[in-house]
Amino acid sequence: MKRSTIAFASVAVIALAMPLAAQAGPGKGPRGHGPHIMQMDANGDGDVTRAEAQASIATRFASIDGNSDGFVTQDEMKAHHEAMRAEMKAKREERRAEAEAAGKPPRPEGKPKREMDPAKAEEWKAKKAEKAAEHWANMDADSDGQLSLAEFTAEHIKFFDKMDADGNGTITAAELEAAKAKMKERRGEWRDKMKGEPAE
């Protein structure tokens, strides 16, 4: 396998962290898994089957595969991620403009994380890159430096299987709510961890 650069690895971990979120239609970004997953409900029966999830994953794969050659490279992953970031930024600016037009006070943007503690930011960035490189290597089963649809699907369907609590091949509304509750709890634990110990 080709050696992954830190830049590509960083892109990979962000893009691969949203396996079921980047679907067509409106959404709420990487945290809005629930609405995005329900967009996979092709027949509108309120449940999402494994076949529907696989079809949706294949659609996402095709959207990342820029040259339509049946494989996803790290360059294509980077380009896809940058396009997503640009789209989310445009939506944020649009919402901000709408709020200003309605006379609502702008939301505080806060201080960039890199300015809060540069040392911790660099440490987090390095860990993220390391995990991303490992993740890519695990996905790239044949170590050819690119992902086939089968490799891409094998990794991303894991998120469906985790939500399918009873393993019957269908995510029900109840299972989705349970998964959302777990993700909310984990986000809280992650925030607490990122705050770190108080300085002595």
Side-chain angles (χ1 to χ4, degrees), residues 44-124:
D45 65 353
D47 297 330
V48 177
T49 66
R50 203 167 193 272
E52 287 174 325
Q54 288 174 324
S56 187
I57 291 169
T59 298
R60 184 186 178 216
F61 179 89
S63 72
I64 300 173
D65 180 14
N67 61 3
S68 302
D69 67 347
F71 295 94
V72 165
T73 65
Q74 293 192 57
D75 279 332
E76 288 172 328
M77 190 75 79
K78 179 181 178 181
H80 178 74
H81 172 64
E82 290 178 346
M84 288 178 62
R85 286 188 63 182
E87 182 180 351
M88 288 188 287
K89 182 178 179 181
K91 287 181 178 179
R92 285 196 301 269
E93 292 176 349
E94 181 180 352
R95 288 194 297 269
R96 188 176 296 114
E98 290 175 351
E100 290 178 357
K104 297 180 181 178
R107 294 180 59 184
E109 296 188 9
K111 193 175 183 180
K113 290 182 179 179
R114 62 180 176 273
E115 294 181 13
M116 293 180 180
D117 189 332
K120 284 188 177 181
E122 286 301 316
E123 181 181 356
W124 178 79

Side-chain angles (χ1 to χ4, degrees), residues 176-194:
L176 178 60
E177 287 303 315
K180 286 165 65 177
K182 284 184 180 180
M183 284 188 280
K184 184 177 181 180
E185 181 181 349
R186 288 174 183 171
R187 284 201 301 270
E189 293 174 353
W190 180 82
R191 290 193 187 102
D192 291 340
K193 183 178 179 180
M194 290 301 292

